[in-house]
Amino acid sequence: IGFIEASHFLAPALVGDHTQNETVIFMTACAFAAGQYGLIAGLTASVVSFLMLNLLYVPPYFSFAVTNQSDAANLTLFMFATFIISLLGSRDYDSKRILARRSELFHSLLQIHRFALNKNTPAEAITVLNEELKALLGKQVAFFLPGTADPKKLETLVTENLNNADLKALKVCWEESKTTGVGAPYEPEGCTWRFEPMVTSNDEIGVFGIRISGHDDLGEDFGRLMSGIADQTALIIERLQFEQVA
């Protein structure tokens, strides 16, 4: 009896001694858990809350048996409601996490852009971009630029293993100035890279590529990120080329 009275301290007399009032308190906890820590935390809180309500607040106490149809219906509705709350709360959690990650990523890209601009030649800038983007994105990246001997043939400063499908996608990206490879409209079978043309207002500078893992999310954000990196790199290279000519 003393333990039951102590447990009821969680639901003070201010909110009354009705089970529906206690369920509101537990629902609030489930919503907080989902909003702060994601869907799994919210669902876990829902299950634990359901068990605690059944054990401590629904007669017979200290038993998971439910003898009253009304109590059974209330517990079922509570479980259903907390699951919905957890789903909605986890969406807010995911949105905040995505926004924070996006903000951190673009801040890092701005820093990389500044580092590259301090270089004297396009080759030096590409080397810096290649190393920094690999560390930032955690993926293999490559920049392909026209060769000095044959401007129609692409070259890369860093040797990357491209299979025949990758080479086909790279060629189409360069010749037609369009996104190709994994997740793009033109995706040869067996392709493991995604390529984005680096274009300025004057001309196509080269091609930016990134190796795609099977579990990568290729949504709109990823496409915008690829396009942004390609555009910024094209502007950096064009500016350095103009400086060399001057």
Side-chain angles (χ1 to χ4, degrees):
I1 300 299
F3 183 78
I4 295 175
E5 292 177 351
S7 66
H8 283 200
F9 179 75
L10 297 174
L14 181 64
V15 298
D17 194 28
H18 300 288
T19 303
Q20 58 265 32
N21 291 332
E22 282 112 12
T23 59
V24 172
I25 296 175
F26 280 98
M27 282 183 178
T28 303
C30 294
F32 176 81
Q36 288 294 111
Y37 305 106
L39 179 60
I40 300 301
L43 294 179
T44 302
S46 300
V47 174
V48 173
S49 298
F50 172 82
L51 296 176
M52 291 294 292
L53 279 174
N54 194 8
L55 187 67
L56 300 177
Y57 294 98
V58 176
Y61 300 118
F62 302 112
S63 172
F64 292 110
V66 180
T67 58
N68 188 302
Q69 291 183 350
S70 176
D71 288 337
N74 288 335
L75 286 172
T76 302
L77 288 174
F78 168 82
M79 194 65 169
F80 178 75
T82 51
F83 267 61
I84 297 299
I85 289 172
S86 297
L87 288 172
L88 296 176
S90 67
R91 288 186 181 181
D92 180 61
Y93 169 80
D94 291 338
S95 297
K96 290 189 294 185
R97 186 178 60 179
I98 290 172
L99 287 174
R101 171 61 179 164
R102 187 181 300 170
S103 175
E104 178 185 352
L105 187 60
F106 280 105
H107 176 73
S108 300
L109 289 175
L110 179 61
Q111 293 296 108
I112 294 173
H113 177 83
R114 290 174 179 172
F115 293 153
L117 280 177
N118 291 330
K119 301 303 176 181
N120 297 321
T121 66
E124 292 178 358
I126 289 296
T127 301
V128 170
L129 288 169
N130 191 287
E131 294 301 321
E132 294 295 333
L133 286 174
K134 274 186 179 180
L136 176 64
L137 302 176
K139 305 179 188 300
Q140 282 184 280
V141 298
F143 294 91
F144 303 88
L145 301 177
T148 52
D150 185 2
K152 294 184 179 180
K153 184 178 180 180
L154 290 176
E155 296 179 354
T156 178
L157 296 176
V158 181
T159 302
E160 300 292 353
N161 296 323
L162 303 180
N163 59 37
N164 290 332
D166 297 328
L167 292 174
K168 288 180 181 178
L170 175 61
K171 182 179 179 181
V172 172
C173 178
W174 171 244
E175 293 178 350
E176 301 183 17
S177 248
K178 67 179 184 181
T179 303
T180 60
V182 180
Y186 179 75
E187 181 182 354
E189 184 177 356
C191 187
T192 59
W193 283 71
R194 183 181 173 105
F195 300 102
E196 191 80 29
M198 298 189 298
V199 183
T200 66
S201 57
N202 296 320
D203 196 6
E204 185 177 5
I205 298 293
V207 173
F208 167 64
I210 182 169
R211 188 178 179 87
I212 305 298
S213 303
H215 59 274
D216 287 336
D217 181 15
L218 303 180
E220 293 183 2
D221 286 343
F222 179 82
R224 284 195 290 266
L225 175 63
M226 284 281 294
S227 179
I229 293 174
D231 291 342
Q232 289 298 315
T233 304
L235 291 174
I236 292 172
I237 295 173
E238 184 182 54
R239 176 177 174 178
L240 291 174
Q241 287 176 342
F242 284 158
E243 288 180 356
Q244 285 184 319
V245 172

